[in-house]
Protein backbone atom coordinates (compact mmCIF):
# COMPACT_ATOMS: atom_id res chain seq x y z
CA UNK A 1 0.00 0.00 0.00
CA UNK A 2 1.40 3.45 -0.89
CA UNK A 3 1.96 5.91 1.90
CA UNK A 4 1.68 9.69 1.80
CA UNK A 5 5.01 11.11 0.68
CA UNK A 6 5.99 8.06 -1.35
CA UNK A 7 5.97 8.48 -5.12
CA UNK A 8 3.15 6.93 -7.10
CA UNK A 9 4.37 3.89 -9.04
CA UNK A 10 2.91 3.54 -12.53
CA UNK A 11 1.26 0.16 -12.86
CA UNK A 12 0.74 -0.26 -9.10
CA UNK A 13 -2.86 -1.40 -8.88
CA UNK A 14 -2.67 -2.67 -5.30
CA UNK A 15 -2.64 0.77 -3.69
CA UNK A 16 -5.89 2.30 -2.57
CA UNK A 17 -5.11 5.85 -3.66
CA UNK A 18 -3.04 7.81 -6.11
CA UNK A 19 -0.99 10.83 -5.09
CA UNK A 20 -2.13 13.80 -7.15
CA UNK A 21 -0.44 17.05 -8.03
CA UNK A 22 -1.02 20.14 -5.93
CA UNK A 23 -2.60 22.19 -8.72
CA UNK A 24 -5.54 24.53 -9.07
CA UNK A 25 -6.59 23.34 -12.54
CA UNK A 26 -5.78 20.58 -14.98
CA UNK A 27 -6.50 20.05 -18.68
CA UNK A 28 -6.41 16.64 -20.34
CA UNK A 29 -6.27 16.81 -24.14
CA UNK A 30 -7.17 13.80 -26.27
CA UNK A 31 -7.80 12.73 -29.85
CA UNK A 32 -11.26 11.14 -29.92
CA UNK A 33 -10.58 9.12 -33.07
CA UNK A 34 -7.86 7.12 -31.29
CA UNK A 35 -8.62 7.61 -27.58
CA UNK A 36 -12.24 6.60 -27.26
CA UNK A 37 -14.17 3.36 -27.01
CA UNK A 38 -17.72 4.12 -28.17
CA UNK A 39 -18.94 0.62 -27.29
CA UNK A 40 -17.94 1.15 -23.67
CA UNK A 41 -18.65 4.93 -23.63
CA UNK A 42 -15.12 5.57 -22.38
CA UNK A 43 -12.40 8.11 -23.01
CA UNK A 44 -8.99 6.47 -22.84
CA UNK A 45 -6.52 8.43 -20.71
CA UNK A 46 -3.44 6.45 -19.68
CA UNK A 47 -2.68 6.70 -15.97
CA UNK A 48 -5.22 9.51 -15.53
CA UNK A 49 -5.62 11.65 -12.43
CA UNK A 50 -9.42 11.98 -12.37
CA UNK A 51 -11.64 10.79 -9.52
CA UNK A 52 -15.35 10.02 -9.60
CA UNK A 53 -17.50 13.08 -9.09
CA UNK A 54 -15.04 15.69 -10.33
CA UNK A 55 -16.63 18.27 -12.61
CA UNK A 56 -14.87 18.83 -15.94
CA UNK A 57 -15.68 21.13 -18.83
CA UNK A 58 -15.57 19.54 -22.27
CA UNK A 59 -14.12 21.46 -25.25
CA UNK A 60 -14.20 20.14 -28.82
CA UNK A 61 -11.02 22.07 -29.73
CA UNK A 62 -12.62 23.61 -32.80
CA UNK A 63 -13.81 20.31 -34.26
CA UNK A 64 -17.26 18.82 -33.98
CA UNK A 65 -18.64 17.52 -30.69
CA UNK A 66 -18.43 13.94 -29.51
CA UNK A 67 -21.96 12.53 -29.82
CA UNK A 68 -23.70 13.02 -26.47
CA UNK A 69 -21.50 15.97 -25.37
CA UNK A 70 -21.63 19.74 -25.98
CA UNK A 71 -18.53 21.92 -26.07
CA UNK A 72 -18.35 24.32 -23.12
CA UNK A 73 -20.60 22.17 -20.94
CA UNK A 74 -19.72 20.72 -17.55
CA UNK A 75 -19.83 16.96 -16.96
CA UNK A 76 -18.90 14.69 -14.06
CA UNK A 77 -16.17 12.07 -14.15
CA UNK A 78 -16.70 8.38 -13.52
CA UNK A 79 -13.34 6.76 -12.81
CA UNK A 80 -13.76 3.62 -14.91
CA UNK A 81 -10.25 2.23 -14.37
CA UNK A 82 -6.59 3.32 -14.33
CA UNK A 83 -6.63 4.18 -18.03
CA UNK A 84 -10.19 5.26 -18.84
CA UNK A 85 -13.01 7.47 -17.66
CA UNK A 86 -16.69 7.89 -18.42
CA UNK A 87 -18.72 11.07 -18.15
CA UNK A 88 -22.05 11.67 -16.43
CA UNK A 89 -24.47 14.56 -16.73
CA UNK A 90 -24.78 15.07 -12.95
CA UNK A 91 -22.82 14.44 -9.79
CA UNK A 92 -25.41 11.94 -8.55
CA UNK A 93 -25.27 10.06 -11.88
CA UNK A 94 -21.48 9.88 -11.58
CA UNK A 95 -21.71 8.39 -8.09
CA UNK A 96 -24.01 5.59 -9.25
CA UNK A 97 -22.08 4.99 -12.51
CA UNK A 98 -24.80 6.22 -14.89
CA UNK A 99 -22.72 7.42 -17.85
CA UNK A 100 -23.59 9.41 -20.97
CA UNK A 101 -23.98 7.40 -24.18
CA UNK A 102 -21.12 8.56 -26.43
CA UNK A 103 -22.50 7.90 -29.90
CA UNK A 104 -19.91 9.40 -32.31
CA UNK A 105 -16.26 10.46 -32.06
CA UNK A 106 -16.75 13.89 -33.65
CA UNK A 107 -13.91 15.53 -35.54
CA UNK A 108 -10.71 17.32 -34.63
CA UNK A 109 -7.60 16.22 -32.80
CA UNK A 110 -7.53 18.49 -29.73
CA UNK A 111 -10.58 17.77 -27.63
CA UNK A 112 -10.07 18.41 -23.92
CA UNK A 113 -11.46 18.05 -20.44
CA UNK A 114 -10.58 20.81 -17.96
CA UNK A 115 -11.13 20.66 -14.24
CA UNK A 116 -10.43 23.32 -11.68
CA UNK A 117 -11.44 24.80 -8.38
CA UNK A 118 -14.70 26.32 -9.58
CA UNK A 119 -17.12 26.14 -6.66
CA UNK A 120 -18.04 22.55 -7.63
CA UNK A 121 -14.61 20.96 -7.35
CA UNK A 122 -13.08 21.65 -3.97
CA UNK A 123 -10.18 19.21 -3.99
CA UNK A 124 -8.12 17.13 -6.37
Amino acid sequence: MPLIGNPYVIGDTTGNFKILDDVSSYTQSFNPTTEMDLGADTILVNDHRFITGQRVVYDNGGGSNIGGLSSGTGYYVINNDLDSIKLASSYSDALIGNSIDLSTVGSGLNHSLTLGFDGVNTKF
Side-chain angles (χ1 to χ4, degrees), residues 18 20 26-28 30 41-45 48-58 69 73-100 102 112-116 118 120-121 123-124:
K18 182 188 294 190
L20 302 177
Y26 173 71
T27 300
Q28 175 67 53
F30 63 97
D41 296 323
T42 58
I43 298 171
L44 307 174
V45 183
H48 68 79
R49 59 179 72 193
F50 296 110
I51 60 174
T52 296
Q54 283 180 317
R55 183 178 176 274
V56 294
V57 176
Y58 166 69
L69 304 180
T73 301
Y75 298 97
Y76 296 82
V77 171
I78 300 170
N79 182 353
N80 190 55
D81 60 34
L82 184 63
D83 295 321
S84 68
I85 62 169
K86 295 182 177 192
L87 296 175
S89 58
S90 70
Y91 178 74
S92 58
D93 279 349
L95 294 182
I96 62 172
N98 186 19
S99 67
I100 295 170
L102 303 178
S112 64
L113 299 171
T114 301
L115 72 105
D118 59 2
V120 177
N121 291 318
K123 62 182 177 179
F124 284 76

